[in-house]
Amino acid sequence: MPSNAQQDFLQYINDNAGPFIERLKEAVAIRSISGDTNPDVRKEVIRMSIWMLEKLHSYGVTAEAIPLGKQIINGEATDLDLPPVIVGRIGEDAAKKTVLVYGHLDVQPANQDGWTIPDPFDLDVDTKSGKMIGRGATDDKGPVLGWINVLEAHYKLGLQLPVNMRFCFEAMEESGSEGLDDFIKVEAAKGPNGYFGNVDCVCISDNYWLNNRTPAITYGLRGIAYFNATVSGPRVDLHSGVYGGTVHEPMTDLIAIMSRLVDSQGQILFDGAYENVPSVTDEEVALYEAIDFDVSELEEFTGPVALSQDKITVLMGRMRNPSLSLHGIVGDSSGPEAQTIIPAKVTGKFSLRLVPPQTPESINAKVTKFLNEQFDTLGTRNHLDVQMVSSGLPWVENTKHWNYDAAISAIKAAYPDRKDPDLIREGGSIPVTLTFAENLPGANIVLIPMGRGDDGAHSANEKLDIENFITGSQLLGMYLYAVAAAETN
Ligand SMILES: [Zn+2]
């Protein structure tokens, strides 16, 4: 049974759904597109950060805006200010646990085709369908405002928060979180004197349920290693009518080696591709079995192309196995015309999604060795150059921890009529998770998504359901109570 304080909190959130939605509308209206380097747009990103700072202040949080310096573009400093990171703290009770919350205030651009509302920055609230359409609604302004709703409820009701809270809100997430890693490192190193001192657990709400029904908790993220493989040889592009049959062709060589990386069943073919990846345990299989997921739902989106009709195989393919995808070839003569060019230089783009204990460095060494060996078997006189152009580590958290017990019991309390929460790993990555994991080694990290699988973050018609926003705000608050009640030994 929820305590009186919890019941008052839940009631306050329900009673204030209207003003909370209005506040989300206010936040969405701030065009905080971090990827746009136009100084006027950057002002909006900074305005969003300061808006957040003021909200924290107004609900009793000690908070400040920490400048992160100037933006660096292509290795060169510009005079464009990075938006400040907003950090805050409330509660200094040594007898209580300390929860660190992360979220981001910036959004993707909204110039995609397919928006059905006139202005993506004017949140469209449709009480009939229960959907709120607008850029940033679900990624990540809705979840961030969920925390503000929790703070407001406690402040207005005169209730003490059940835990000490620490906040870290950035506004460059959609642009590589420039400046944030260094800030977190420095702040964490301050120990008890810093904003991240004595943090027992971290909660990030910046991803989505697997489907549109069942709330989820995320305990893992895949890493990435992105490669460019460039084959060159001829001094210039050549005409196939003149030179076809007379020279080694870069495209032929590139396709030959790229085709040896992965087969049509999704198996990665180079030596060591699965090295040290733990084999699946019965316990883990049971975890996948329990997830509310059906391959037909996947195929509703992808079309009838799933690698398997077996639910567990498909879930493992997305969550706990590495994968390799071929993305494209730069320098080809694409386009509809029947061009007869022999390109002089072509670059194949492909990437691997990684799982622990794989690292981009170890995969880079294996991929480079393999491609060079394969290239040598071709008997070509062209040249190959392999570069890993971007990378990120994978992450998996220990779920046998009170932080996960707390998240699960909070979801059950907030969504009593749903199936038990899905424990999932994301196929993609949220790099800040790694940064917290590395710099706060004593803190367990949980990802509690607010939005549904079909929210369409980054796409046209991004939306958040009203129910997810309101019940999701209750969930975040209930999580704090569950953390407070958790036995830590
Ligand atoms: Zn996000």
Side-chain angles (χ1 to χ4, degrees):
M1 266 307 279
S3 67
N4 286 343
Q6 290 170 54
Q7 270 162 4
D8 290 351
F9 160 71
L10 294 172
Q11 191 64 43
Y12 187 94
I13 299 285
N14 267 333
D15 293 348
N16 287 278
F20 290 164
I21 290 167
E22 275 310 304
R23 182 157 58 201
L24 181 59
K25 205 176 168 71
E26 198 185 318
V28 167
I30 304 175
R31 298 167 184 247
S32 53
I33 305 164
S34 59
D36 193 329
T37 53
N38 179 319
D40 290 334
V41 178
R42 181 54 54 87
K43 274 183 197 146
E44 288 297 282
V45 185
I46 294 169
R47 186 160 77 89
M48 182 69 218
S49 304
I50 299 308
W51 183 94
M52 188 65 188
L53 178 68
E54 285 164 0
K55 292 289 168 283
L56 290 170
H57 281 159
S58 63
Y59 300 125
V61 178
T62 304
E64 58 184 313
I66 311 275
L68 294 178
K70 304 283 184 189
Q71 186 163 1
I72 294 167
I73 298 173
N74 297 330
E76 285 185 28
T78 64
D79 54 10
L80 200 61
D81 283 319
L82 288 169
V85 57
I86 307 299
V87 286
R89 61 195 301 151
I90 181 168
E92 306 293 339
D93 185 342
K96 288 179 177 174
K97 295 194 194 73
T98 300
V99 179
L100 169 63
V101 163
Y102 162 90
H104 67 90
L105 305 161
D106 59 319
V107 297
Q108 285 277 320
N111 44 17
Q112 302 82 354
D113 289 337
W115 287 91
T116 57
I117 57 172
D119 179 3
F121 293 95
D122 183 9
L123 188 74
D124 184 85
V125 182
D126 183 346
T127 44
K128 246 197 192 138
S129 68
K131 300 199 185 311
M132 303 184 287
I133 299 177
R135 176 54 87 225
T138 194
D139 181 19
D140 188 30
K141 288 177 177 175
V144 164
L145 265 65
W147 292 113
I148 294 294
N149 298 344
V150 171
L151 288 171
E152 179 191 312
H154 285 80
Y155 186 82
K156 292 277 178 72
L157 292 167
L159 291 173
Q160 285 260 322
L161 286 159
V163 295
N164 305 316
M165 292 191 77
R166 305 292 179 257
F167 300 93
C168 178
F169 295 113
E170 68 155 322
M172 283 300 281
E173 195 272 347
E174 305 290 4
S175 299
S177 294
E178 190 171 338
L180 186 70
D181 277 13
D182 290 339
F183 167 76
I184 290 174
K185 242 172 244 163
V186 169
E187 195 60 33
K190 292 179 186 167
N193 302 322
Y195 280 97
F196 306 148
N198 299 323
V199 165
D200 295 295
C201 58
V202 182
C203 182
I204 298 173
S205 188
D206 188 21
N207 66 313
Y208 311 93
W209 300 351
L210 191 59
N211 55 42
N212 301 329
R213 307 175 293 276
T214 310
I217 296 172
T218 303
Y219 65 98
L221 301 164
R222 291 200 292 189
I224 187 167
Y226 201 110
F227 292 91
N228 283 350
T230 301
V231 179
S232 57
R235 290 174 44 234
V236 291
D237 287 353
L238 302 172
H239 186 299
S240 67
V242 181
Y243 297 100
T246 69
V247 299
H248 292 291
E249 300 193 11
M251 181 71 83
T252 310
D253 295 344
L254 180 66
I255 286 176
I257 58 169
M258 280 179 85
S259 73
R260 297 180 192 179
L261 287 166
V262 61
D263 73 14
S264 295
Q265 304 310 311
Q267 277 293 309
I268 309 171
L269 300 175
F270 64 82
D271 278 346
Y274 298 92
E275 196 174 277
N276 297 330
V277 174
S279 44
V280 68
T281 61
D282 291 349
E283 197 184 352
E284 209 186 334
V285 170
L287 214 64
Y288 295 119
E289 184 58 56
I291 292 177
D292 183 12
F293 172 79
D294 195 286
V295 179
S296 65
E297 285 177 304
L298 172 97
E299 291 195 327
E300 252 168 53
F301 186 75
T302 63
V305 292
L307 282 168
S308 165
Q309 292 303 308
D310 176 53
K311 163 185 160 179
I312 293 176
T313 307
V314 170
L315 286 175
M316 285 180 31
R318 165 168 162 173
M319 295 179 183
R320 67 98 61 207
N321 292 332
S323 62
L324 191 155
S325 300
L326 305 176
H327 302 302
I329 295 176
V330 180
D332 61 352
S333 64
S334 52
E337 311 83 11
Q339 290 179 348
T340 53
I341 293 282
I342 299 171
K345 179 177 165 185
V346 284
T347 298
K349 296 162 44 163
F350 63 94
S351 72
L352 285 106
R353 295 289 174 170
L354 310 178
V355 299
Q358 296 178 314
T359 63
E361 288 67 35
S362 70
I363 287 296
N364 184 18
K366 292 183 171 77
V367 164
T368 305
K369 179 168 179 282
F370 175 79
L371 286 181
N372 279 301
E373 282 169 4
Q374 295 301 312
F375 195 74
D376 285 346
T377 68
L378 301 179
T380 176
R381 295 172 66 198
N382 288 324
H383 307 286
L384 170 67
D385 177 54
V386 181
Q387 297 287 340
M388 183 169 75
V389 291
S390 68
S391 65
L393 283 163
W395 167 79
V396 171
E397 185 57 283
N398 168 26
T399 59
K400 290 184 181 137
H401 189 281
W402 53 261
N403 192 28
Y404 279 78
D405 297 341
I408 290 167
S409 74
I411 287 181
K412 287 181 176 175
Y415 290 95
D417 56 341
R418 303 294 172 94
K419 286 189 180 165
D420 283 356
D422 287 333
L423 242 73
I424 59 175
R425 286 160 68 164
E426 279 287 335
S429 38
I430 305 176
V432 72
T433 314
L434 265 298
T435 311
F436 283 127
E438 283 167 0
N439 292 286
L440 302 172
N444 181 281
I445 304 175
V446 67
L447 274 49
I448 305 182
M450 175 181 272
R452 301 182 188 180
D454 68 346
D455 278 359
H458 298 201
S459 321
N461 273 4
E462 172 181 348
K463 62 88 178 164
L464 177 64
D465 292 78
I466 294 171
E467 187 203 19
N468 286 58
F469 184 48
I470 299 306
T471 311
S473 298
Q474 294 178 322
L475 163 60
L476 296 178
M478 293 305 277
Y479 163 73
L480 300 180
Y481 282 94
V483 165
E487 304 273 355
T488 54
N489 47 19

